[in-house]
Amino acid sequence: MHFRKQMMKISDIVDAIGGEIVARGCFIVDISVSKDNDIVLTIESENSKIELEDCVSLSRFFETKFDREVEDYSLTVSSAGLDQPFKVFRQYLKALGTKVEVSLKGGKKMVAVLEAADEESITLKYSVKEAVEGKKKKELVEHVDRYTMDQVNAVRPFIEFN
């Protein structure tokens, strides 16, 4: 007799482990479940960075809620990558006051400080060399501009190497 593997539901996963994720000072960035029940749980810390221990502990907690013999799944718990675009609004809130790399629709890219964010828009502060009346050389001019989310392709943390 061959049993058809049933895909786990994201809502069941959130219900089972959401409280533990919050208790660890983290939030869910993404959960994906393949047709073969390969589960990838991506989390981020509210205040700091994700430690390996956070991933291991959540993986163990997950296994107490879902029996591998019954559910037949594989699980990967990881942190949101620094090179990955923001997927959830809480990532924008966490990044307030920091430099971000922004890709706008139309191809424009910039590095700016994320000044404000809401569900509909982001406000960025950045400097651009521009011609200034009465000056021979271009000077850095500071801008603070608001962009609606439909103008934005991607926002990700900006990584500076000193």
Side-chain angles (χ1 to χ4, degrees), residues 50-156:
I50 294 293
E51 301 291 337
L52 179 60
E53 179 56 32
D54 294 315
C55 296
V56 171
S57 294
L58 282 171
S59 181
R60 287 185 183 139
F61 184 81
F62 190 98
E63 290 172 0
T64 69
K65 299 295 183 183
F66 298 100
D67 183 348
R68 280 188 195 271
E69 299 302 317
V70 174
E71 304 290 345
D72 190 23
Y73 64 87
S74 72
L75 173 67
T76 302
V77 179
S78 66
S79 63
L82 287 176
D83 61 336
Q84 298 300 306
F86 295 160
K87 291 185 176 184
V88 297
F89 180 62
R90 288 173 83 173
Q91 290 176 293
Y92 289 90
L93 294 179
K94 183 179 174 186
L96 288 175
T98 67
K99 285 185 181 179
V100 292
E101 186 178 325
V102 181
S103 171
L104 299 172
K105 293 195 171 131
K108 183 177 179 181
K109 292 183 179 184
M110 69 174 87
V111 173
V113 174
L114 183 61
E115 290 285 303
D118 59 39
E119 298 282 350
E120 288 85 38
S121 66
I122 58 174
T123 302
L124 303 171
K125 181 166 77 174
Y126 58 98
S127 297
V128 179
K129 280 197 172 197
E130 295 178 352
V132 177
E133 195 174 320
K135 304 280 182 171
K136 289 185 180 185
K137 289 178 25 181
K138 289 184 177 183
E139 293 187 2
L140 276 180
V141 178
E142 190 172 275
H143 293 268
V144 178
D145 293 327
R146 181 177 173 268
Y147 297 93
T148 60
M149 289 303 192
D150 63 356
Q151 294 175 291
V152 177
N153 270 340
V155 177
R156 66 189 75 212

Side-chain angles (χ1 to χ4, degrees), residues 6-23:
Q6 189 171 357
M7 260 179 62
M8 292 182 75
K9 293 182 181 147
I10 292 174
S11 60
D12 292 342
I13 294 169
V14 172
D15 290 347
I17 66 168
E20 181 67 14
I21 290 170
V22 170

Side-chain angles (χ1 to χ4, degrees), residues 5-7 33-39 71-74:
K5 191 187 317 188
Q6 189 171 357
M7 260 179 62
V33 181
S34 76
K35 63 181 176 15
D36 293 325
N37 265 355
D38 296 324
I39 302 162
E71 304 290 345
D72 190 23
Y73 64 87
S74 72

